[in-house]
Amino acid sequence: MGTDNMKYNPKLLLYILMLSTFGINTPLSIIGIISQISEYFNTSISISGLYISSFTFTIAVSGLFIPILFSKYERKKTFAFILGIFAVSNFIIIFTDSILIASIFRILSAVVYPAFISLALTVCEEIAPIDQKQDYITKILLGISVGSIIGLPITTGFGTILGYKAAMTWIFAINFLTLVLILIFFPKIPGKSKSYEVPFSSLKSKEFILSTIGIVMMPIGASMVYNYIPYFLQTVSQIYTYKLSMVLLTYGIFSIFGTWLGGKLIVIRDKATLIIFQIVCALVFALLYFFSNYLIAVLALILIFGILDGMGYNLIQYIETSLLPKSPELANGIFLSVLNGGIAIGIAIGGFMVDGFGVMSIFIGGFLFLVIALVMIVYVISVLKISLKYS
């Protein structure tokens, strides 16, 4: 990689990058203050929803090419540049009362987001001791998970108690802090010495196409359920206010555990983990549908789903990097596109189903998408026999 391992502490760099990934994922957590956003900008809930989802939609598109563009540049400057864009954008968002201007800077942040996450995953795999590579990757994925899941109650708390500006100030503060940490503690790490070549033959292969279609079904199905769980708990389980917040916080903790567990299980039995995940997740959705009137069963199943939801980060990233072993930046960019594109599609389909068929329909939809994912994953693993990193 061109750096001397004696010049830096890999663990220190890992935790700086982990905190940084947490910081740049906090913009995702403003979903919890949609009513405050609507009130602050004096816009409808639907327009506020577009303002929120613009971040995810942009990542889904820019993840396909932005990581490649940044791959040749020195890593410290790249990380600092991206975190600087986040800090400046969020600072402007704090003080503007125009949702159009706020949206422009929110989208600007999202454009460069995939480069940071992709390079963080790539650098961590490069600096990790040979027997700890998956552990390092898992910790970066934990940063993503914590930023969007634990960031939700923190941002929601600031927003509901102190208002929209306070929530955005918290997001700016964590971005600025991580920028300072990168500038002070991160060493210079060179980028790729030659121009990046896109492996078109791999991208056009049947293995890559069918595997990617299969794994995008996972975040679609999971997102259909996850994003409407609060509405389900309010309307069906009659759980409100602080009790709802406690359930969601506990779900987040279980999800973080799931991300850690997924990383461990992949190293031990990757094929079995990929297949059993789909079966168990589909089964949980079916049981939530049939036992929706039993509160204890509902809460237990939601927490199991939390573990599975966290595992999904690792599974998607693992398949993409297995399919493109010589193109880590591209593979990690596609991972982010699949994850965020799937979430955006799942939210849209879930909203349509809730409006048209009622909130219970999310479990049927989620079940069907996981069954499709199961069929395709079994096919690419057992029939096409795709090459996996740890097999």
Side-chain angles (χ1 to χ4, degrees):
M1 180 168 94
T3 51
D4 184 351
N5 281 358
M6 299 304 291
K7 291 182 179 178
Y8 60 83
N9 180 344
K11 286 282 187 185
L12 175 63
L13 304 193
L14 169 64
Y15 288 117
I16 290 173
L17 288 176
M18 189 177 173
L19 183 62
S20 299
T21 54
F22 165 80
I24 70 169
N25 269 275
T26 49
L28 291 166
S29 64
I30 66 170
I31 184 66
I33 57 168
I34 188 168
S35 59
Q36 284 76 22
I37 291 169
S38 179
E39 182 181 343
Y40 180 81
F41 289 114
N42 193 26
T43 58
S44 65
I45 290 293
S46 60
I47 294 297
S48 299
L50 287 173
Y51 169 62
I52 292 168
S53 62
S54 64
F55 195 82
T56 309
F57 277 111
T58 305
I59 293 169
V61 175
S62 65
L64 297 173
F65 61 92
I66 287 293
I68 297 173
L69 296 179
F70 278 88
S71 64
K72 64 182 178 181
Y73 298 110
E74 193 269 312
R75 306 311 199 194
K76 178 175 181 173
K77 288 179 181 177
T78 301
F79 288 142
F81 174 73
I82 295 170
L83 289 174
I85 288 178
F86 266 79
V88 170
S89 295
N90 286 313
F91 185 78
I92 291 170
I93 288 171
I94 293 170
F95 295 103
T96 183
D97 57 4
S98 165
I99 196 166
L100 176 60
I101 293 173
S103 296
I104 289 170
F105 282 96
R106 184 167 170 80
I107 290 169
L108 176 63
S109 300
V111 167
V112 295
Y113 169 100
F116 190 98
I117 299 294
S118 175
L119 292 175
L121 288 164
T122 302
V123 168
C124 276
E125 191 164 9
E126 290 172 344
I127 66 174
I130 194 69
D131 59 338
Q132 296 180 41
K133 289 185 181 296
Q134 190 61 42
D135 283 343
Y136 273 54
I137 290 169
T138 296
K139 285 186 169 66
I140 296 299
L141 296 175
L142 278 171
I144 299 173
S145 180
V146 172
S148 53
I149 294 171
I150 298 300
L152 178 61
I154 297 174
T155 303
T156 303
F158 276 115
T160 53
I161 296 168
L162 300 174
Y164 168 76
K165 277 193 173 185
M168 296 312 300
T169 301
W170 135 253
I171 292 172
F172 161 75
I174 189 70
N175 290 151
F176 185 74
L177 171 63
T178 54
L179 171 61
V180 172
L181 291 175
I182 289 284
L183 290 172
I184 294 175
F185 295 107
F186 219 82
K188 289 186 176 181
I189 300 175
K192 289 186 176 292
S193 57
K194 61 179 180 177
S195 60
Y196 200 99
E197 295 180 4
V198 178
F200 287 110
S201 59
S202 297
L203 295 177
K204 291 189 291 184
S205 70
K206 182 164 66 172
E207 290 82 1
F208 175 83
I209 292 170
L210 293 180
S211 298
T212 301
I213 292 172
I215 58 173
V216 79
M217 298 297 163
M218 293 161 49
I220 291 175
S223 179
M224 285 177 67
V225 175
Y226 167 70
N227 284 282
Y228 296 97
I229 280 287
Y231 185 66
F232 165 77
L233 290 173
Q234 290 172 325
T235 56
V236 177
S237 302
Q238 307 298 309
I239 298 176
Y240 305 101
T241 59
Y242 74 93
K243 291 181 181 178
L244 178 61
S245 297
M246 289 303 297
V247 171
L248 295 176
L249 180 61
T250 308
Y251 175 98
I253 293 169
F254 274 65
S255 182
I256 292 166
F257 169 72
T259 303
W260 172 85
L261 180 64
K264 297 294 183 185
L265 292 177
I266 281 172
V267 175
I268 299 170
R269 293 288 298 276
D270 52 3
K271 292 180 181 178
T273 302
L274 288 165
I275 292 170
I276 293 171
F277 171 89
Q278 324 294 335
I279 297 171
V280 175
C281 199
L283 182 62
V284 167
F285 291 165
L287 292 173
L288 277 166
Y289 181 85
F290 288 111
F291 291 94
S292 61
N293 292 322
Y294 299 90
L295 182 59
I296 299 301
V298 164
L299 294 176
L301 288 166
I302 285 175
L303 295 181
I304 294 171
F305 172 49
I307 295 173
L308 296 167
D309 194 21
M311 287 178 65
Y313 288 90
N314 257 305
L315 302 187
I316 297 170
Q317 195 269 347
Y318 178 68
I319 290 180
E320 290 297 353
T321 51
S322 292
L323 291 167
L324 300 169
K326 296 180 180 179
S327 313
E329 289 91 351
L330 178 61
N332 287 318
I334 293 173
F335 151 65
L336 292 168
S337 291
V338 166
L339 178 65
N340 288 281
I343 290 170
I345 294 168
I347 292 171
I349 296 174
F352 171 78
M353 294 189 72
V354 169
D355 283 342
F357 307 103
V359 72
M360 294 304 298
S361 66
I362 60 173
F363 301 120
I364 299 173
F367 175 84
L368 292 174
F369 276 101
L370 265 294
V371 169
I372 295 170
L374 171 64
V375 171
M376 298 194 76
I377 293 299
V378 168
Y379 178 73
V380 298
I381 288 176
S382 302
V383 180
L384 297 182
K385 299 187 184 300
I386 61 171
S387 177
L388 297 172
K389 281 197 291 186
Y390 300 123
S391 291

